[in-house]
């Protein structure tokens, strides 16, 4: 494959953009080599600036569950744009999108629209603190909630000690308000709550983690966290920015049957535009300004283009068979990869719920971040580049989910499995 134009553009980009990108993982540090520059996308496919085509399993890191440039979404955004791009005055589309979210996500009675998953997570945690009058937040090692200061934190030296920042620029005092624990470890959670329970505002968790690869909750784990947070009067906050509308139409909370106290949404809910949301019971949301004292605002929040894209996406996703088509495509692709790996005789572990999945180059189950990091990342990097050359775009890191869209049909599935067979045979 020729990558001349991509290489030229990356060289130029690096002169004016940090690392040539606007979000770190795009720079391919996780797999080596240079990123491809995309020209356009249509359905399941993207075309790069050298004219190479790829079946896309990144889909803008999750949002495009209908595929690229889905006609009804394009049309809705164009109509909205012609009517004016932003007002900072209420529009009916905000109500319609909020109503749709409330209808689909079991635990949400009222919602606030914002611009990014990071902003939603940051605001949800402020609300949890304001609602409970407590400062401490518990998070899970390897779960990602955007780049807000207080959550870029590693475990301290012991389980019940306070966290330390993972990035310069974060005051130790922020990190000290965050406690971390491993996923799927209920005993660790019990220990933390026994030590700090009265001061914990919330436990924030990806119920179906997708930012350390995709990891499944063991039976009883989420139920245990639900009971524990209730016992101590702490809020259970589900970050469903990735799993929302992907694990199931109602998110991981619908799939696993657990009611969180607050939910963070992003990605699919914006249909490829910058839009995210957080929601909870009316009682909890009542504490947010302008009704309550917890402040949060945004010039572009509930933006007409973004609400149009989000609403068109959720409405299309509700049509019979659309959600299931994306999930089924991913199941078939995963099966193809597993068969090729088996033939070659090297171990993999796969996890999938709905239309998010991961193939770990790892022997045996992956239950938490520590186990995920034991995966063979060098082998994954080789696989990634072989797939890219074979016309399949996977996430440029072992620790990301693969997504499919309803536009991934038999042709794309066949193309992907064929590329995987060749890639794995050559490993
Ligand atoms: C992507 C993601 C975020 C951050 O969303 P941005 O829109 O990138 O700020 C937060 N939480 C989870 C679970 C995510 O997958």
């Amino acid at each position: 494959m020729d990558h001349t134009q991509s290489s030229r553009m990356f060289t130029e980009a690096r002169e004016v953009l940090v690392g040539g990108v606007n979000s770190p993982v795009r720079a391919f540090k996780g797999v080596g080599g240079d990123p491809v520059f995309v020209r356009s996308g249509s359905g399941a496919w993207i075309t790069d600036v050298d004219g190479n085509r790829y079946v896309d399993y990144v889909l803008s890191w999750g949002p495009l569950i209908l595929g690229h440039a889905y006609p009804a979404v394009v049309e809705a955004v164009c109509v909205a744009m012609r009517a004016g791009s932003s007002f900072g005055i209420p529009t009916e589309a905000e109500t319609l999108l909020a109503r749709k979210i409330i209808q689909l996500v079991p635990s949400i009675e009222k919602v606030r629209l914002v611009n990014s998953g990071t902003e939603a997570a940051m605001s949800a945690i402020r609300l949890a603190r304001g609602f409970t009058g407590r400062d401490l937040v518990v998070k899970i090692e390897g779960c990602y909630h955007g780049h807000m200061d207080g959550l870029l934190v590693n475990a301290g030296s012991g389980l019940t000690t306070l966290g330390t920042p993972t990035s310069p620029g974060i005051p130790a005092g922020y990190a000290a308000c965050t406690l971390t624990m491993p996923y799927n470890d209920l005993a660790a959670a019990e220990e933390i709550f026994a030590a700090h329970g009265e001061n914990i505002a919330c436990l924030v968790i990806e119920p179906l983690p997708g930012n350390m690869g995709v990891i499944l909750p063991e039976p009883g784990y989420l139920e245990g966290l639900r009971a524990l947070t209730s016992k101590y009067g702490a809020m259970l906050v589900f970050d469903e920015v990735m799993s929302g509308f992907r694990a199931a139409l109602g998110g991981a909370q619908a799939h696993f049957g657990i009611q969180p106290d607050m939910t963070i949404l992003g990605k699919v809910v914006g249909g490829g535009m910058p839009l995210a949301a957080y929601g909870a019971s009316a009682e909890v949301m009542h504490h947010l300004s302008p009704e309550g004292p917890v402040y949060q605002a945004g010039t572009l929040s509930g933006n007409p283009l973004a609400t149009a894209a989000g609403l068109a996406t959720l409405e299309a996703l509700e049509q019979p068979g659309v959600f299931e088509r994306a999930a089924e495509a991913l199941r078939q692709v995963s099966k193809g990869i597993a068969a090729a790996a088996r033939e070659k005789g090297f171990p993999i572990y796969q996890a999938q719920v709905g239309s998010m999945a991961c193939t770990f180059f790892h022997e045996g189950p992956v239950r938490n971040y520590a186990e995920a990091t034991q995966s063979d990342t060098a082998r994954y990097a080789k696989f990634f580049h072989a797939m890219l050359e074979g016309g399949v775009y996977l996430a440029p890191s072992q620790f990301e989910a693969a997504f499919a869209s309803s536009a991934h049909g038999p042709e794309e599935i066949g193309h992907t499995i064929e590329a995987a067979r060749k890639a794995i045979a050559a490993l």
Side-chain angles (χ1 to χ4, degrees):
M1 253 182 202
D2 179 25
H3 296 296
T4 310
Q5 293 303 322
S6 278
S7 296
R8 176 183 66 76
M9 288 184 191
F10 191 47
T11 303
E12 287 175 8
R14 269 183 304 191
E15 288 168 13
V16 291
L17 292 165
V18 183
V21 296
N22 281 305
S23 193
V25 73
R26 297 178 198 170
F28 276 27
K29 283 261 166 70
V31 289
D34 290 349
V36 293
F37 275 56
V38 70
R39 177 198 294 153
S40 63
S42 177
W45 296 82
I46 49 174
T47 304
D48 74 13
V49 289
D50 290 287
N52 304 306
R53 298 178 76 231
Y54 312 88
V55 181
D56 185 12
Y57 292 91
V58 178
L59 298 170
S60 186
W61 300 92
L64 304 178
I65 197 162
L66 306 171
H68 293 274
Y70 186 80
V73 176
V74 172
E75 182 56 24
V77 172
C78 289
V79 168
M81 183 72 206
R82 280 190 212 101
S85 60
S86 184
F87 304 106
I89 300 170
T91 56
E92 191 182 20
E94 295 161 80
T95 306
L96 300 180
L97 179 59
R99 196 182 285 150
K100 184 59 68 188
I101 291 169
I102 290 161
Q103 178 200 327
L104 290 175
V105 184
S107 68
I108 298 183
E109 291 176 356
K110 260 197 184 170
V111 75
R112 168 64 53 89
L113 303 179
V114 294
N115 304 293
S116 73
T118 295
E119 191 188 355
M122 184 184 86
S123 309
I125 283 170
R126 181 182 304 143
L127 180 55
R129 285 175 164 148
F131 183 76
T132 57
R134 302 171 177 184
D135 285 345
L136 295 183
V137 171
V138 181
K139 86 169 280 271
I140 306 288
E141 229 172 71
C143 282
Y144 179 66
H145 309 290
H147 61 88
M148 65 175 283
D149 282 343
L151 294 190
L152 291 179
V153 165
N154 264 347
S157 49
L159 256 186
T160 55
T161 61
L162 300 170
T164 53
T166 55
S167 164
I170 297 174
Y174 284 14
C177 287
T178 308
L179 299 147
T180 68
M181 60 186 196
Y183 191 72
N184 271 330
D185 187 344
L186 202 50
E190 280 161 359
E191 204 178 314
I192 282 183
F193 275 84
H196 301 283
E198 269 73 53
N199 299 315
I200 293 171
C202 67
L203 162 58
V204 60
I205 183 171
E206 290 178 75
L208 176 66
N211 284 287
M212 44 180 159
V214 174
I215 295 186
L216 305 177
E218 290 181 338
Y221 179 61
L222 295 174
E223 290 81 353
L225 296 181
R226 176 64 280 180
L228 195 60
T229 44
S230 295
K231 176 177 162 191
Y232 285 94
M235 296 180 80
L236 180 62
V237 180
F238 275 4
D239 182 345
E240 298 228 47
V241 170
M242 190 186 289
S243 58
F245 314 104
R246 277 213 180 261
L249 259 181
Q253 58 192 266
H255 181 80
F256 296 117
I258 310 282
Q259 290 270 116
D261 298 305
M262 198 162 6
T263 303
I264 306 165
L265 297 168
K267 298 197 167 111
V268 169
V269 77
M273 297 291 280
L275 185 144
Y278 59 108
S281 67
E283 184 204 353
V284 168
M285 295 306 280
H286 178 62
H287 284 251
L288 195 58
S289 58
E291 289 180 19
V294 178
Y295 190 70
Q296 189 268 311
T299 300
L300 293 176
S301 292
N303 172 266
L305 306 188
T307 48
L311 191 59
T313 296
L314 296 185
E315 282 174 349
L317 198 52
E318 277 187 301
Q319 300 307 307
V322 176
F323 177 90
E324 192 45 42
R325 204 150 65 231
E328 181 55 30
L330 201 52
R331 263 194 293 279
Q332 288 187 32
V333 165
S334 295
K335 237 165 63 185
I337 293 173
R342 218 166 25 243
E343 211 167 289
K344 179 80 177 177
F346 73 67
I348 56 163
Y349 172 74
Q350 294 179 314
Q352 178 177 349
V353 178
S355 58
M356 53 189 274
C358 186
T359 297
F360 290 98
F361 286 57
H362 183 278
E363 178 132 43
V366 175
R367 288 164 297 206
N368 55 41
Y369 182 65
E371 288 180 357
T373 56
Q374 285 157 16
S375 301
D376 190 342
T377 51
R379 186 180 264 172
Y380 181 82
K382 278 189 201 145
F383 178 64
F384 166 84
H385 282 292
M387 291 296 273
L388 194 66
E389 288 303 300
V392 178
Y393 188 71
L394 302 174
S397 162
Q398 166 74 89
F399 307 111
E400 300 288 351
F403 304 104
S405 75
S406 54
H408 285 65
E411 185 201 338
E412 288 79 18
I413 295 166
H415 174 90
T416 305
I417 293 175
E418 187 50 33
R421 217 191 324 260
K422 282 191 194 144
I424 288 174
L427 279 179

